[in-house]
Amino acid sequence: MDELKAPSIDYAAVAPILILFGAACLGVLVEAFVPRRARHAVQLSLALLGTVAGLVVVVTQASTRATTAAGALAIDGPAVFLQGAILVLALVSLLLMGERKLEAGGAFVPQAAITVGSDADVRQAARAPGLTEVYPIALFAIAGMLLFVAANDLLTMFIALEVFSLPLYLLCALARRRRLLSQEAALKYFLLGSYASAFFLFGVALIYGFVGAVDFGSIHAAAAESDRDPLLLYAGLAMLSIGLLFKTAAVPFHVWTPDVYQGAPTPITAFMAACTKVAAFGALLRVLYVGFNGLSWDFTPILGVIAVLTMIIGAVLAVTQTDIKRLLAYSSIANAGYLLVGVLASGEAGLASTMFYLVAYGFTVLGAFAVVMLVRDADGEAGHLSRWAGLGRRSPLIAGLFTFILLAFAGIPLTSGFISKFAVFGAAIEGGQTWLVIAGVISSIVLAFPYLRVVVMMWLSDPSEATPTVSVPGVFTTVALTIGVAMTLLLGVAPSLLLDLTSGAAEFVQ
């Protein structure tokens, strides 16, 4: 009887994933053995060092093109590029999580199990240092995202989906202020995310029933050559898409986004807006471009309608918002629609433009939430838009930076937002999807209104007693905001380097 052999693994290729998982496990040990007073510095240092180490290894693996772990992982151009993007954006997000100057103890609750509104809760909200468990939890999420974009079969992809989703559910519930809103957001995210995961797993089962395998190579071959009734395959792809489109916040699977963005601690909202979107679209690109590329004529019209609905509904509902985080949530939904336009453009141009958009949007949205963290008073962040009136007179620098970020979201030239939209719309026209571009341009015009409304309120309205002061940013927030604004400007005036990188990485390993 032959002995069973373990699948060979190229440990160098999967080193970034292993480093992040290892750093997360070390973080758990730190929680157990390091004294509480030293924990925050140790955990933040460990998280930053682990992320930097993973990024360094990703850079050294830039030319790797292979599958490993018995074909479960594909280390190719898109995987390496998206892993690098996730790590860079996560690094900036960790800086926002580590900020403790804006509020005593930081943005996170010291003890999440204490009853909301109790005397103990009031005391801990005032002074107690926040939970340091957020760092290993965030590292587990980052590691899951790295695995998600490199998964070469559906079961590995599902495991990665759960690995990075479960930590996010926890992180959303840990806000120091407005704890009931935070816990409500986490519960909604968890329940709807569970349904989405169930749809994903049902899709895997149906696809396995048709193909007899779950790796993308076999799925591609079966979709192209099988003479059987493709009903199972189409139903499986539909359910699979529901699970992935939920994570991208595409309509009609977007309903969790405004509540979660508003209720979660702002550093976590920034982390999700940047990194989760990269991971979700990275997986969607691999599913559609590798596994189901032969069915593009069948799924493009349906996903195209979803893209149009996402762009239009996201833009229209953004106009009605009165809370800055909910406005940014609907902006994120609309941007998911623009990204779907790039996905449906197909070919190397569509893949490259989508990856460029993910990176550019990630930096801009991190800068936006860094500003949101700064505009606050004694009760916390000033979320209602009316309280931003006259901010330009109170703090011209911060208002000016936020104006620039909003103009980038609107797609004004000399910003990364303009180059991003130009790239995905150009790829869509080249791919024969002009109707999507027309819808995208119309929604962009509508979406510019809420951005410009905020700009007008900041600069042309008089400050009132409700207008908050802008807190002096700490080192971490300053660095994060500087990186976000600088990259938004750099990718707007000199995008060629990143465009060349995305073009060179726009080829999947089959």
Side-chain angles (χ1 to χ4, degrees):
M1 186 175 179
D2 294 337
E3 293 184 1
L4 293 176
K5 294 183 178 179
S8 61
I9 299 177
D10 183 353
Y11 288 102
V14 299
I17 301 172
L18 297 178
I19 288 172
L20 268 295
F21 273 124
C25 292
L26 284 176
V28 174
L29 295 177
V30 168
E31 287 299 319
F33 298 108
V34 174
R36 178 176 292 274
R37 63 181 178 276
R39 236 178 255 170
H40 179 260
V42 174
Q43 289 283 33
L44 180 57
S45 300
L46 178 62
L48 293 174
L49 287 174
T51 307
V52 170
L55 181 60
V56 170
V57 176
V58 166
V59 172
T60 63
Q61 297 291 327
S63 59
T64 301
R65 301 291 184 272
T67 58
T68 186
L73 297 176
I75 309 300
D76 50 20
V80 173
F81 179 86
L82 293 172
Q83 284 181 339
I86 289 169
L87 288 168
V88 172
L89 296 174
L91 202 59
V92 181
S93 301
L94 287 170
L95 293 176
L96 295 178
M97 294 181 205
E99 182 60 74
R100 288 198 166 184
K101 183 177 179 180
L102 299 178
E103 182 167 7
F108 303 99
V109 64
Q111 295 186 48
I114 291 180
T115 303
V116 176
S118 64
D119 292 339
D121 185 39
V122 174
R123 288 195 299 271
Q124 75 166 0
R127 293 187 174 277
L131 283 172
T132 52
E133 288 94 332
V134 295
Y135 300 109
I137 294 173
L139 288 177
F140 277 119
I142 297 167
M145 293 175 190
L146 300 186
L147 182 62
F148 198 51
V149 298
N152 199 40
D153 67 58
L154 294 176
L155 278 181
T156 304
M157 186 170 284
F158 175 75
I159 292 169
L161 174 65
E162 295 307 297
V163 169
F164 83 79
S165 295
L166 292 174
L168 290 178
Y169 302 150
L170 291 174
L171 291 170
C172 288
L174 300 180
R176 177 180 289 269
R177 297 181 183 271
R178 301 183 180 93
R179 288 186 58 206
L180 283 178
L181 188 64
S182 176
Q183 293 172 4
E184 178 189 350
L187 186 59
K188 288 179 178 177
Y189 193 22
F190 169 69
L191 291 175
L192 294 175
S194 299
Y195 285 120
S197 296
F199 274 108
F200 187 97
L201 201 54
F202 271 117
V204 174
L206 293 178
I207 291 167
Y208 180 79
F210 181 85
V211 178
V214 292
D215 63 283
F216 291 132
S218 299
I219 293 171
H220 177 79
E225 301 171 3
S226 178
D227 56 358
R228 290 177 290 169
D229 186 348
L231 178 61
L232 275 180
L233 187 64
Y234 288 141
L237 175 58
M239 290 190 172
L240 206 66
S241 299
I242 289 173
L244 293 174
L245 292 172
F246 173 85
K247 285 298 180 185
T248 65
V251 173
F253 316 107
H254 69 291
V255 292
W256 61 273
T257 312
D259 291 335
V260 173
Y261 273 41
Q262 183 183 22
T266 302
I268 302 304
T269 307
F271 177 57
M272 291 193 297
C275 297
T276 303
K277 197 169 289 290
V278 174
F281 272 99
L284 184 65
L285 285 167
R286 188 171 295 277
V287 168
L288 297 181
Y289 278 56
V290 180
F292 295 91
N293 189 40
L295 301 179
S296 58
W297 284 104
D298 299 300
F299 65 68
T300 295
I302 299 174
L303 289 182
V305 171
I306 291 175
V308 171
L309 289 174
T310 303
M311 291 185 288
I312 297 298
I313 291 177
V316 170
L317 292 182
V319 174
T320 66
Q321 300 308 306
T322 58
D323 184 272
I324 188 66
K325 291 174 75 174
R326 294 183 73 89
L327 190 156
L328 292 175
Y330 281 105
S331 168
S332 175
I333 292 168
N335 277 278
Y338 303 138
L339 283 160
L340 281 174
V341 173
V343 171
L344 296 175
S346 70
E348 290 188 5
L351 178 56
S353 63
T354 303
M355 292 193 295
F356 179 90
Y357 199 118
L358 287 168
V359 174
Y361 176 77
F363 282 116
T364 305
V365 79
L366 286 172
F369 282 110
V371 173
V372 171
M373 289 176 62
L374 295 177
V375 182
R376 59 193 308 123
D377 56 20
D379 295 324
E381 295 164 358
H384 202 281
L385 288 180
S386 63
R387 302 187 63 193
W388 289 62
L391 189 68
R393 302 185 187 184
R394 289 277 179 90
S395 181
L397 176 60
I398 297 300
L401 293 177
F402 197 58
T403 298
F404 176 71
I405 290 170
L406 292 175
L407 293 178
F409 281 138
I412 301 301
L414 300 181
T415 66
S416 61
F418 172 78
I419 301 298
S420 300
K421 288 186 174 65
F422 187 86
V424 294
F425 289 167
I429 291 174
E430 183 181 330
Q433 305 298 329
T434 306
W435 65 290
L436 294 177
V437 177
I438 294 172
V441 171
I442 293 172
S443 70
S444 296
I445 295 171
V446 175
L447 192 57
F449 174 79
Y451 300 143
L452 296 178
R453 181 181 62 175
V454 177
V455 173
V456 169
M457 288 178 62
M458 288 192 299
W459 293 103
L460 300 182
S461 299
D462 294 325
S464 65
E465 293 181 359
T467 303
T469 57
V470 174
S471 299
V472 177
V475 174
F476 294 148
T477 304
T478 300
V479 172
L481 179 57
T482 301
I483 291 173
V485 172
M487 291 303 297
T488 300
L489 177 62
L490 180 63
L491 295 178
V493 299
S496 56
L497 177 59
L498 185 58
L499 287 172
D500 291 342
L501 282 176
T502 56
S503 297
E507 184 178 359
F508 284 106
V509 170
Q510 296 288 342

